[in-house]
Amino acid sequence: MISLSLSNLTHEYNERLVFQSVSFQFDGKCMSITGCNGSGKSTLTRIIAGLVTPIDGCVTVSVDGSSIARENLRDVVGLAAPDVRLYGELTARENLEFLSTARSAGIGKHRIGEVLEQVGLANRGNDPVRELSSGLRQRACFAAALLHEPLLLLLDEPSTNLDEDGISMLNEVIQAQMRRGMVIIATNDVQEAALGQKTLDLGGRQ
Amino acid sequence: MSVNSKPNPAISSMPKAPQLMDILRCALAVLIKDIKCEFRVKSALSAILLFAITSAIAVSFTLQAYGGNSAVSSTLLWLVIYFSAMSGLSRSFVREEETNTAPTLRLAARPASVYLGKLAFNWALVIALQCVTAPLFIMFMGSSVGNWGQFICILLIGGLGLSAGATAAAAMVAKAATKGAVFAVICFPLLIPALVISIHGTNIAMAARGAISAASDIRTLIAFSGVIITASLMLFKFIWED
Amino acid sequence: MLDNNQSLRTDTTMPLALRVGLGVWMSAVIIGTFLFVPPAQGFASPDAARMVIFHIPCAIVAVIAYIISAIYAIAFLSKGKIMSDEKSAIAAGLGFLFTALATVTGMIFAQAQWGKTWNWDPKQTSILMLIMVYAAYFTLRSCIPGQIARAKISAAYNILAGLIMPFLVIILPRMLPSLHPKSAHLSPEYQIALACAAIGYIVLFIWMFRLQVRIAEYIMAARRVRIG
């Protein structure tokens, strides 16, 4: 029901080629992106999420056979990445309340409690995000990415900073997402990469 | 591609054409979020207000002799407002980029809502600056205001014109390497019409000589703000998204 | 890359005949201006008034260049071809050059006619604003990393600046008194010479524009080879 197609994707940043002519088709449940540091994993997740325009080529996310326009991508995609942060001055709950109003997709109040519970932040939801530890902050970012029940969940280096309990939470999140739609994991971790039914290896430079 | 026969619950929240009310509700959420963040870090807001007060005092202290001259005092008043605004109006976007919250906002809100929310926040900031500087300035300079209605009207709409251009400029420089200096440089041409017309109108409103009215300046300011806001709304997705 | 010997023949940006013609044409305009056009009446220094024949076309070409720059900016935002952004920047750069020439010739003219280099005359004010707007445009371009972000943001700024132009050029100057004479003061010989000079300047602009576009294409191709 949801499928992803990358065709001839090329991206460069500040006159340096990040990757070139990446083509990939996927319509399964879980896919992983691997590659050395600097091979463009994070950039690729951002391109798929519609945050970055590639220099060349295109990304198509289709739901039930019809492709989603880029300006509507934000309703379908959830992204949790190290450099996608929440507002430090606000509490986790306030952040989620803001994001649910901003999305204006009819996200109920109960959904906020639900995602906080899901990521194990139920009793720290009223602390300002900047006072949370890095692991808890990461969980809050998962909550933000899951808030609108996206059909396509993008996780960039999801297990960094997480403790053992966090890893099992992450696995539950991934399992639940595979039932709902698709999950894409960009990682260097062999175990995580193995979760993917298909792997896109960006390799390394040179 | 296999079409799922079972109805998908997520389809109900599938992309639809943006409604005006949705955009405004989202803009309001952005405004409230920014005000909350700003008030939790009180130092920033008070620094900007103090900057405005300091410049108002410094200017009126040295140039108090010109208080009776409406051309001089209207120019100085707007210069104080303009430069204090320059120190604060780029903050909301620069902070989003620096704390890496900008992608979160991009993923959640439509560009039009982000622009309107930030515009409302910046306008509120300019009005707060004007509430502090204008009375102080008039008191210290010993200026008189002939037509208070037009004077306040020009402060408000001139402030809107300044914020409309500065909000677009702030989003442009948020990704630049040297933000502060570039912001002042690119704001100047975008804001100069609003500034010059405001000074002209304030001069008339303060002097209030006979039948000369600042109404045409107010109309020009409204037209200017309208043009900038409409154009920025249309162009904002190119400025804001990578 | 081209070497000097080849450049005359391989420069396909403008036919050789047209390039030679342009040289002859502009020479004729200059000779005509100083030998056949009579001193203008109604000026403090009628002989120096010949300056307008070289001053006004600069301003005309500058405006044309800025309009072309804005059109390429719109083209970039709607089609996304990076070359449109390059062309937009090139047109703005040439516009800036001609604006600078118009300002300098205007200042010399003002010194001769009105005794002051700078008068805050509405036209002088507008041209100063134009310089500020496009100086800011090049500053903005130089400090945004990432080719696509730079192209998008500077195109957006270009269009915004274009929309502000009427306020800068029409509305603000109305608040100031003008020294500039109406064109009715000029005799027919002047108008013919002016039109001829303007045509020459426009052809020159087109040639400069095409040359710079060619250079930009070479640089782009070279970069593709280097990083690809």
Side-chain angles (χ1 to χ4, degrees):
Chain A
M1 61 174 189
I2 176 160
S3 69
L4 173 75
S5 139
L6 314 176
S7 64
N8 246 336
L9 222 50
T10 300
H11 194 65
E12 57 184 64
Y13 190 74
N14 274 352
E15 316 227 330
R16 234 193 44 232
L17 196 66
V18 181
F19 46 73
Q20 191 173 28
S21 301
V22 174
S23 295
F24 200 76
Q25 300 280 339
F26 188 67
D27 53 7
K29 295 289 182 193
C30 180
M31 142 182 177
S32 50
I33 302 173
T34 58
C36 311
N37 296 130
S39 61
K41 296 188 297 294
S42 299
T43 311
L44 185 56
T45 53
R46 281 169 160 248
I47 289 175
I48 296 171
L51 279 178
V52 172
T53 317
I55 290 272
D56 201 15
C58 66
V59 178
T60 320
V61 177
S62 313
V63 175
D64 293 339
S66 56
S67 65
I68 307 291
R70 190 178 161 180
E71 58 262 37
N72 291 327
L73 215 50
R74 60 172 65 83
D75 298 330
V76 182
V77 170
L79 169 66
D83 45 6
V84 178
R85 302 272 175 84
L86 296 180
Y87 295 93
E89 295 86 2
L90 305 180
T91 68
R93 192 177 290 278
E94 281 171 330
N95 266 297
L96 296 177
E97 277 164 3
F98 162 63
L99 292 175
S100 66
T101 331
R103 287 191 175 279
S104 62
I107 301 167
K109 272 254 182 306
H110 67 278
R111 178 70 193 147
I112 294 170
E114 214 172 278
V115 281
L116 282 175
E117 188 76 46
Q118 192 182 358
V119 300
L121 265 180
N123 50 3
R124 296 296 301 276
N126 293 325
D127 291 359
V129 168
R130 64 160 166 231
E131 285 169 20
L132 297 178
S133 72
S134 54
L136 292 176
R137 227 178 288 164
Q138 191 155 341
R139 290 170 185 237
C141 289
F142 288 147
L146 290 167
L147 182 66
H148 54 297
E149 304 182 62
L151 287 176
L152 173 58
L153 180 66
L154 295 155
L155 301 172
D156 185 8
E157 303 286 353
S159 61
T160 25
N161 299 328
L162 290 183
D163 55 11
E164 216 167 284
D165 179 48
I167 303 274
S168 68
M169 178 277 292
L170 176 63
N171 283 328
E172 277 167 36
V173 165
I174 291 173
Q175 294 304 325
Q177 182 61 32
M178 284 169 70
R179 285 190 294 276
R180 187 192 299 145
M182 187 194 287
V183 57
I184 297 176
I185 309 170
T187 183
N188 274 322
D189 186 310
V190 185
Q191 277 188 326
E192 262 169 38
L195 286 171
Q197 297 155 323
K198 220 171 153 186
T199 300
L200 168 57
D201 188 6
L202 291 173
R205 285 170 306 151
Q206 281 99 46
Chain B
M1 201 146 311
S2 68
V3 177
N4 208 339
S5 54
K6 190 181 66 168
N8 188 326
I11 294 298
S12 59
S13 64
M14 281 298 293
K16 52 187 182 293
Q19 299 292 307
L20 183 64
M21 282 317 291
D22 281 349
I23 288 177
L24 291 181
R25 195 180 313 119
C26 176
L28 185 68
V30 173
L31 170 66
I32 292 171
K33 184 266 307 172
D34 270 349
I35 291 177
K36 264 189 193 165
C37 286
E38 201 60 57
F39 272 91
R40 303 254 164 104
V41 208
K42 291 193 189 69
S43 57
L45 190 62
S46 51
I48 294 166
L49 290 179
L50 260 177
F51 180 87
I53 294 170
T54 314
S55 42
I57 291 174
V59 165
S60 45
F61 178 72
T62 39
L63 292 171
Q64 44 178 308
Y66 297 94
N69 183 334
S70 62
V72 173
S73 44
S74 59
T75 307
L76 291 177
L77 172 62
W78 273 99
L79 284 186
V80 169
I81 294 172
Y82 176 78
F83 284 106
S84 341
M86 282 304 94
S87 72
L89 293 189
S90 66
R91 273 182 51 76
S92 59
F93 277 110
V94 169
R95 202 182 42 206
E96 299 269 6
E97 293 291 346
E98 280 175 353
T99 57
N100 280 327
T101 52
T104 310
L105 191 56
R106 283 192 192 105
L107 282 171
R110 286 174 199 284
S113 306
V114 175
Y115 177 74
L116 288 176
K118 297 280 184 191
L119 169 63
F121 177 75
N122 279 344
W123 193 18
L125 192 65
V126 171
I127 291 174
L129 281 173
Q130 289 170 333
C131 285
V132 174
T133 46
L136 268 183
F137 188 82
I138 288 169
M139 189 182 76
F140 284 145
M141 288 285 279
S143 316
S144 60
V145 175
N147 188 333
W148 277 100
Q150 286 186 346
F151 179 75
I152 291 170
C153 213
I154 286 176
L155 279 186
L156 284 178
I157 298 169
L160 177 63
L162 287 189
S163 337
T167 306
M172 289 181 196
V173 301
K175 288 186 211 115
T178 44
K179 300 177 179 68
V182 184
F183 180 62
V185 168
I186 71 162
C187 261
F188 177 74
L190 290 182
L191 303 188
I192 200 79
L195 193 61
V196 172
I197 301 165
S198 299
I199 291 172
H200 191 260
T202 308
N203 181 14
I204 292 173
M206 283 173 109
R209 284 184 218 95
I212 305 172
S213 159
S216 78
D217 290 315
I218 296 176
R219 278 198 297 275
T220 317
L221 275 177
I222 293 176
F224 178 78
S225 309
V227 168
I228 296 293
I229 293 173
T230 316
S232 304
L233 275 175
M234 289 169 69
L235 293 171
F236 195 67
K237 75 170 179 186
F238 301 112
I239 303 172
W240 170 239
E241 287 174 348
D242 269 326
Chain C
M1 290 296 118
L2 304 165
D3 66 50
N4 283 339
N5 284 336
Q6 280 190 316
S7 61
L8 261 180
R9 267 172 291 126
T10 52
D11 177 8
T12 52
T13 53
M14 188 176 270
L16 187 62
L18 202 49
R19 275 182 277 156
V20 174
L22 179 63
V24 173
W25 178 271
M26 284 312 289
S27 310
V29 169
I30 293 168
I31 294 166
T33 303
F34 287 99
L35 294 186
F36 300 111
V37 174
Q41 299 311 306
F43 282 98
S45 164
D47 278 322
R50 292 195 174 94
M51 191 72 146
V52 295
I53 291 170
F54 305 101
H55 165 65
I56 295 176
C58 282
I60 294 174
V61 172
V63 170
I64 293 175
Y66 290 141
I67 292 172
I68 291 174
S69 173
I71 291 172
Y72 275 117
I74 294 171
F76 171 74
L77 290 185
S78 52
K79 298 269 170 59
K81 284 207 192 87
I82 203 76
M83 209 49 216
S84 305
D85 172 63
E86 296 280 352
K87 286 178 181 167
S88 178
I90 288 168
L94 290 175
F96 198 70
L97 172 69
F98 279 97
T99 314
L101 286 174
T103 314
V104 172
T105 51
M107 273 157 60
I108 297 170
F109 185 71
Q111 181 67 46
Q113 302 299 345
W114 303 311
K116 250 170 94 187
T117 317
W118 198 265
N119 302 287
W120 289 110
D121 171 88
K123 294 234 166 62
Q124 284 190 327
T125 313
S126 321
I127 212 157
L128 181 66
M129 295 300 158
L130 275 179
I131 290 179
M132 294 301 294
V133 167
Y134 285 93
Y137 172 77
F138 296 116
T139 313
L140 184 65
R141 282 189 78 85
S142 69
C143 68
I144 298 173
Q147 198 180 21
I148 288 191
R150 170 168 61 242
K152 278 183 174 179
I153 291 176
S154 48
Y157 177 82
N158 199 331
I159 295 168
L160 266 185
L163 288 169
I164 287 174
M165 220 52 83
F167 288 91
L168 291 175
V169 179
I170 300 167
I171 296 175
L172 292 194
R174 280 205 322 211
M175 298 177 174
L176 302 157
S178 179
L179 288 168
H180 268 80
K182 302 272 178 293
S183 58
H185 281 245
L186 296 172
S187 61
E189 291 95 333
Y190 262 90
Q191 291 178 11
I192 294 167
L194 243 174
C196 291
I199 292 169
Y201 274 50
I202 290 170
V203 176
L204 182 66
F205 165 75
I206 295 171
W207 186 21
M208 291 168 91
F209 179 74
R210 297 189 52 153
L211 269 175
Q212 291 222 342
V213 168
R214 182 64 52 87
I215 293 170
E217 281 168 355
Y218 278 135
I219 291 174
M220 242 178 178
R223 222 188 58 203
R224 284 260 164 271
V225 171
R226 198 177 74 234
I227 66 172

